[in-house]
Amino acid sequence: GPSCCGRCRRAHYCGPEHQALDWRRGHRRSCGQHKDGDDSVDAIPEHNEFLFPEYEILIEPEEPELPADSTVDPDGKQEAVHTSKAPNEQEQPGSAGIAGETFQSLDEETLEAMAKCETEEDKIFQKFKEKVAAEPEQIIRYCRGGEGPIWVSGENTPEEKDIPNCLCGAKRIFEFQIMPQLLNYLQVDSLGESIDWGTLVVYTCADNCGGENKYLEEFLWKQDHSV
């Protein structure tokens, strides 16, 4: 944080509110105990109910996707992969089996309704799982001004009118989304309260206003897992 304790000059804060809170939670007892060259006493005590664990974030570009029915040979050329049954394994007329008979007993209208139900909500969540499967430990997906977020559900997705303009009047555009994997790292279960989300999507000013290291209010859309 840009501010620090005026006494020990070791505890840093983003503002006076957090400094006052930390002082009441224990910094008053440890402030000034640190001696020059002695790292055995930390001026910032651990408050499990106040501070989350700290980690390093590694940034890597996302690898381009290949079609599901293709592969790449050692020379870097993309090849199509096809599968077919051997001649003696080809299905013969009337050999659909029990499963086929079960489906044949359903009328066409029922089958269409089942297919429609699967291709809307399930398809969106399946796309989300496939994207995450490539990097299951990812906590943030960043893509400013390009491809939009990946949603966990078809419900509660914002329309353009739902994203308010920036305080400067410019539109807000998608910049990054926070993934549910972050919940595991933050160990929020130890707080005794339920914190959960499917994804948190952050929209920021298209004109990138408010520079000069100032904090700027932006817009966040929270989407939960569909039930």
Side-chain angles (χ1 to χ4, degrees), residues 42-79:
D42 194 344
I44 309 176
E46 293 185 1
H47 303 306
N48 292 331
E49 74 281 7
F50 175 53
L51 298 177
F52 289 118
E54 186 174 332
Y55 299 92
E56 178 185 9
I57 298 179
L58 302 179
I59 303 176
E60 296 179 353
E62 186 172 59
E63 295 294 332
E65 293 183 354
L66 294 176
D69 60 346
S70 67
T71 185
V72 177
D73 65 15
D75 296 329
K77 297 179 181 179
Q78 183 173 315
E79 298 179 341

Side-chain angles (χ1 to χ4, degrees), residues 101-128:
E101 293 173 0
T102 302
F103 279 100
Q104 289 174 4
S105 67
L106 299 176
D107 59 82
E108 184 176 346
E109 184 178 350
T110 302
L111 290 173
E112 286 295 331
M114 293 172 60
K116 184 177 180 181
C117 179
E118 291 177 351
T119 56
E120 291 180 1
E121 187 65 23
D122 294 346
K123 197 170 184 180
I124 293 174
F125 185 58
Q126 183 64 30
K127 180 181 178 181
F128 180 87

Side-chain angles (χ1 to χ4, degrees), residues 160-174:
E160 187 174 353
K161 62 181 179 63
D162 296 322
I163 310 300
N165 290 341
C166 178
L167 300 178
C168 72
K171 290 182 60 176
R172 285 191 174 102
I173 59 175
F174 167 67

Side-chain angles (χ1 to χ4, degrees), residues 173-190:
I173 59 175
F174 167 67
E175 180 162 348
F176 67 93
Q177 68 182 115
I178 302 173
M179 309 298 284
Q181 175 65 18
L182 182 62
L183 293 165
N184 294 331
Y185 292 116
L186 294 183
Q187 303 171 17
V188 293
D189 290 341
S190 63

